[in-house]
Amino acid sequence: MHYPASDLVIDPVLIRKYDTAGPRYTSYPTADRFVEAFGEPELRHWLAKRNVGGFALPLSVYMHLPFCDTVCYYCACNKIATRDHGKSAKYIKYLEKEMALIGPLLGEERELGSLHWGGGTPTFLSREEMGFLVENLKKTFTWARNAECSIEIDPRRLAPGTLAFLAGLGFNRVSLGVQDFDPQVQKAVNRIQSEEVTRQAMAEARASGMSSVNLDLIYGLPKQTLDGFSRTLDKVIALDPDRIALYSYAHLPKLFMPQRRIAEADLPSPETKLQIMTLAIGRLTRAGYLYIGMDHFAKPGDALATAQSQGRLQRDFQGYSTQPECNTLGFGVSAIGRVGPTYYQNFKDLDAYYAALDSGRLPVARGLELSADDLVRRTLIQSLMCHFRVSIESIELAHLIDFRAYFAAELADLRRLAGDGLVEIDGDWIVVTPKGRLLVRVIAMVFDRYLRAREARASYSKVI
Ligand code: SF4
């Protein structure tokens, strides 16, 4: 049985039944499994082993730029709201220090295949500051000719000419935050952003030659209605972005302080939220967008869709990626990296991050060295999330296991999901059906050893 990757069936009964909390699997194990026993010495050790045997995976860099002028109430990012632009001047000096510490540990192979600036609001930085960072990146890495360089843009904080300037620095992909055009919703989440501002940012991105433009939307926000979001979708489709990310708002005020400013009574009911999601998926797919996987849509010609059809789509901390499997170095406060069979995360707190660098140490707060079991489960979960199927034989060959014996308990659970039509187990393949696709993380959760070991799901967002 083979279903085209973008085939999607929305089954409200199944969605209601399986609407439990679960991770998004931008990594496996998930970041809440990282431990403090993994610190700077461990990262240094694994960076030194990166080139063993004369082969090193390509490098990718994530740089976290945490400052925002104002705070959006739905925000779950690690950010610092401030009007004091002196703060970023200090911060970039520390990024320079961090790059200077990492540089000598990289050995000969230091070609940078992809770069992502996230936040926060990367354009909080002045042009001089952005130029300074790129200059330092170029000192630390060799810039690949076809490097994929992306940046998150807040259209409200974009001086005219900034996108052309960023294109000049080498950026070729942008992601614009929109969330919802409805003024009532914008007011309720403290993010007032006129359509004109978004349109201008979009036009400037196109004029500067950005090869892919993404728009971010969120459903489930306070004051959102079916009619209002329908109008937002009209406008988004008219803007014609290459990619659209459609996230579900997860209201977790205990974990994220700004969300305490959202009145629960203003949130759409679960039923309305499901209707908004159904409407959005229907409209986007009818407009020609392909469903790539969790939260992501792309035009058929976009690199994400091509990578998926060629079986080389990857899942990483930013969602999906067209880059081959790589080592990711995270720079900046709270940034996460992946080197060899490890993950690491920098200090989340600015003072701790600065203090480590002041004493000449890499600012690693915690991490994890993956076990052989973690690695096989990561491959499997990645395959489910990116391609909606898993070849049992290739997992057996790559990881030297007897799949059916190794995953006997998981296969028993999977059969229960198969009974509801979410997944099919057919000889050598586990295949997520079109109606299982919106619930792919429920299927992935079956293979998450840590979730199986203890029911620690309370801090995750709901599946939809
Ligand atoms: S959503 Fe973006 S702009 Fe808004 S507070 Fe969070 S990081 Fe800052």
Side-chain angles (χ1 to χ4, degrees):
M1 96 230 83
H2 180 76
Y3 305 105
S6 57
D7 269 16
L8 190 63
V9 172
I10 303 172
D11 185 327
V13 176
L14 281 183
I15 289 172
R16 273 185 220 109
K17 178 169 178 182
Y18 288 102
D19 188 15
T20 52
R24 312 174 79 79
Y25 293 115
T26 54
S27 70
Y28 179 82
T30 47
D32 55 339
R33 308 293 167 195
F34 297 177
V35 291
E36 285 175 12
F38 187 104
E40 189 200 13
E42 288 72 23
L43 177 58
R44 283 181 179 271
H45 169 80
W46 283 103
L47 280 170
K49 286 182 83 163
R50 202 177 67 87
N51 276 320
V52 170
F55 172 77
L57 288 177
L59 283 171
S60 137
V61 162
Y62 172 74
M63 197 164 261
H64 192 71
L65 303 163
F67 304 103
C68 299
D69 286 306
T70 56
V71 68
C72 312
Y73 296 158
Y74 56 82
C75 183
C77 303
N78 187 306
K79 79 271 163 203
I80 298 162
T82 177
R83 301 234 175 229
D84 176 4
H85 282 248
K87 290 203 171 166
S88 57
K90 178 176 176 186
Y91 185 72
I92 61 163
K93 287 286 176 195
Y94 280 87
L95 286 173
E96 180 190 23
K97 283 187 192 202
E98 196 181 354
M99 283 187 263
L101 282 175
I102 287 276
L105 307 175
L106 294 178
E108 289 292 298
E109 298 215 24
R110 51 179 65 214
E111 189 173 82
L112 187 64
S114 77
L115 168 69
H116 183 82
W117 282 6
T121 306
T123 48
F124 182 96
L125 270 54
S126 68
R127 289 190 190 180
E128 291 68 32
E129 289 168 347
M130 293 191 266
F132 173 84
L133 285 183
V134 168
E135 203 179 293
N136 275 281
L137 282 164
K138 286 189 168 163
K139 273 190 218 156
T140 314
F141 301 95
T142 318
W143 212 274
R145 227 169 351 114
N146 56 353
E148 196 174 272
C149 302
S150 55
I151 179 167
E152 292 166 15
I153 298 287
D154 181 345
R156 300 170 302 161
R157 310 275 176 259
L158 201 63
T162 304
L163 282 166
F165 174 77
L166 287 166
L169 288 181
F171 285 92
N172 43 33
R173 292 173 188 274
V174 289
S175 181
L176 308 180
V178 173
Q179 326 316 349
D180 194 330
F181 282 122
D182 186 332
Q184 292 296 322
V185 177
Q186 293 192 354
K187 196 164 160 236
V189 299
N190 195 38
R191 185 185 174 110
I192 309 295
Q193 179 175 328
S194 72
E195 287 166 48
E196 191 45 34
V197 152
T198 306
R199 214 170 286 124
Q200 270 172 14
M202 192 84 194
E204 207 190 304
R206 296 274 188 234
S208 355
M210 296 290 172
S211 63
S212 180
V213 182
N214 173 80
L215 288 191
D216 279 350
L217 301 176
I218 304 182
Y219 68 93
L221 290 175
K223 301 275 184 193
Q224 229 166 29
T225 61
L226 212 49
D227 275 358
F229 206 67
S230 175
R231 282 191 291 276
T232 290
L233 289 165
D234 286 339
K235 289 165 189 164
V236 166
I237 291 166
L239 285 168
D240 198 28
D242 305 287
R243 299 178 187 176
I244 294 170
L246 174 70
Y247 297 109
S248 164
Y249 170 62
H251 190 61
L252 299 167
K254 282 194 186 135
L255 283 183
F256 306 112
M257 283 263 279
Q259 296 187 356
R260 293 175 200 172
R261 315 271 295 266
I262 290 177
E264 296 211 7
D266 287 343
L267 292 171
S269 67
E271 203 49 44
T272 307
K273 192 176 172 191
L274 179 57
Q275 285 170 359
I276 294 175
M277 183 203 76
T278 307
L279 169 88
I281 293 175
R283 295 285 296 282
L284 296 180
T285 47
R286 279 198 300 281
Y289 288 92
L290 301 176
Y291 179 65
I292 298 296
M294 262 200 68
D295 314 324
H296 292 270
F297 296 80
K299 283 186 178 170
D302 186 84
L304 269 189
T306 307
Q308 187 174 52
S309 67
Q310 294 174 346
R312 53 183 179 79
L313 191 68
Q314 300 275 332
R315 186 131 177 100
D316 67 9
F317 304 115
Q318 273 70 58
Y320 287 99
S321 159
T322 60
Q323 292 296 303
E325 189 180 354
C326 47
N327 285 313
T328 300
L329 301 174
F331 290 95
V333 69
S334 78
I336 298 184
R338 167 180 164 167
V339 175
T342 73
Y343 291 117
Y344 71 92
Q345 182 169 33
N346 281 350
F347 288 107
K348 290 183 181 173
D349 172 73
L350 206 50
D351 290 337
Y353 171 76
Y354 287 162
L357 289 164
D358 278 337
S359 58
R361 284 181 291 117
L362 289 171
V364 184
R366 58 198 190 123
L368 192 70
E369 196 176 311
L370 276 68
S371 65
D373 177 75
D374 291 334
L375 290 169
V376 60
R377 289 173 192 269
R378 175 166 81 181
T379 309
L380 207 157
I381 288 174
Q382 162 121 343
S383 187
L384 285 170
M385 303 298 287
C386 294
H387 304 294
F388 298 118
R389 61 201 164 108
V390 174
S391 156
I392 291 177
E393 189 185 0
S394 37
I395 297 275
E396 287 184 327
L397 289 174
H399 297 272
L400 302 176
I401 58 165
D402 173 349
F403 192 99
R404 286 170 185 82
Y406 194 93
F407 289 120
E410 287 81 355
L411 285 169
D413 287 352
L414 219 52
R415 280 188 199 101
R416 206 172 26 84
L417 300 182
D420 272 339
L422 268 67
V423 68
E424 290 170 5
I425 309 163
D426 178 20
D428 189 41
W429 289 91
I430 296 170
V431 180
V432 182
T433 63
K435 63 178 177 175
R437 287 179 177 178
L438 281 174
L439 295 162
V440 64
R441 57 176 160 159
V442 172
I443 300 161
M445 281 156 73
V446 167
F447 292 96
D448 184 330
R449 185 170 67 87
Y450 301 88
L451 279 186
R452 297 184 74 80
R454 62 188 166 100
E455 297 291 311
R457 301 179 188 181
S459 62
Y460 291 118
S461 58
K462 287 225 173 161
V463 170
I464 297 299

